[in-house]
Amino acid sequence: MVSIDTTPIGDLWARVFGTQPAPEAWLVYVTAAVALLVVVPRPLWRLSRNAITIAHEGGHGLIALVTGRRLDGIRLHSDTSGLTVSRGKPTGLGMILTAAAGYTAPPLLGLGGAWLLAAHHITLLLWVTTALLLAMLVMIRNAYGALTVILTGAAFLLISWLTGPDVQAAFAYACVWFLLLGGVRPAFELQSKRRYGHAGDSDADQLGRLTHVPPALWLFLFHAVSLCSLIGGGRWLLEL
């Protein structure tokens, strides 16, 4: 009988699904400060917002597939806007959930990431994120979008594969803080655009037409999800 050495597979399984040591408290606070630094100043936000757009459009695409719609493609643009095109019934629950998934996806992903980090699954978080980015890459339909997703996915893959626990922890906590904090700002930006009549075809307005519920109430939902995710995720990360 030939013996097959499965140790490498077992080591990989343990590395991905095992737990890692909790970082020092100072690192959690420092990564929160770094995330805040790239979210608040407008020049840095114009660059970092690309990552929020990836999560936003990925949310649209994922829920479109889950609800049985046909996903035709996703485009990411250099002005940090994006477009997700799906086919199916133009009304109904599937379309409503798909439209509502964009602004809620980044904070909810941050909340899920905070839950994994609170359980000390740092490497698993990095690998799951890499897998989601790889799956999204298949549906990207423009060069800028493909480049953005490839570079983001490469960063997660290299950090998870080549670095030690301390670097992985710092990167993972910074990313989750960024999703939680960065997930709050787009709803306020949308609110400002709607106030001046510059967002007539926004997700909130589309949801208003689909449900006959005022867009302002959908905007309130976006605010509620992002702020509650920030509070809940922040408590997990800070171990309060």
Side-chain angles (χ1 to χ4, degrees):
M1 179 179 295
V2 177
S3 177
I4 300 177
D5 184 8
T6 60
T7 300
I9 297 177
D11 290 344
L12 179 61
W13 180 272
R15 179 178 181 181
V16 175
F17 291 95
T19 59
Q20 290 76 42
E24 298 289 340
W26 66 265
L27 185 143
V28 179
Y29 287 99
V30 168
T31 53
V34 170
L36 192 62
L37 180 63
V38 298
V39 168
V40 174
R42 183 177 294 273
L44 291 177
W45 173 243
R46 291 181 62 184
L47 295 174
S48 62
R49 198 182 192 281
N50 283 284
I52 297 296
T53 303
I54 291 175
H56 179 113
E57 300 302 332
H60 282 313
L62 176 62
I63 298 304
L65 292 174
V66 169
T67 57
R69 299 181 62 80
R70 177 182 173 183
L71 183 59
D72 283 350
I74 298 173
R75 291 178 175 270
L76 306 173
H77 304 131
S78 58
D79 62 355
T80 72
S81 65
L83 176 66
T84 298
V85 179
S86 64
R87 294 184 183 183
K89 188 178 178 181
T91 59
L93 183 61
M95 187 63 200
I96 293 170
L97 293 176
T98 299
Y103 280 92
T104 56
L108 289 178
L109 286 171
L111 183 64
W115 176 75
L116 282 175
L117 293 182
H120 309 306
H121 288 294
I122 297 172
T123 304
L124 178 60
L125 169 67
L126 299 177
W127 279 61
V128 168
T129 305
T130 304
L132 290 174
L133 289 167
L134 181 60
M136 184 176 178
L137 180 61
V138 177
M139 300 308 302
I140 296 294
R141 295 293 181 265
N142 66 322
Y144 179 83
L147 178 63
T148 302
V149 173
I150 288 172
L151 291 177
T152 306
F156 276 88
L157 180 61
L158 292 175
I159 291 292
S160 64
W161 191 257
L162 299 178
T163 65
D166 291 340
V167 175
Q168 289 188 19
F171 182 75
Y173 272 80
C175 290
V176 171
W177 275 120
F178 173 73
L179 286 173
L180 291 171
L181 293 166
V184 173
R185 183 163 180 173
F188 284 97
E189 292 177 335
L190 176 58
Q191 181 177 346
S192 177
K193 289 180 180 179
R194 293 194 73 256
R195 183 182 299 117
Y196 295 103
H198 299 319
D201 199 37
S202 69
D203 291 357
D205 291 277
Q206 292 182 43
L207 285 163
R209 292 191 289 269
L210 286 168
T211 63
H212 304 293
V213 173
L217 290 182
W218 286 106
L219 185 57
F220 174 80
L221 174 67
F222 298 158
H223 281 306
V225 170
S226 61
L227 291 172
C228 289
S229 296
L230 174 59
I231 294 170
R235 289 179 63 87
W236 272 333
L237 294 177
L238 297 172
E239 297 184 353
L240 299 178

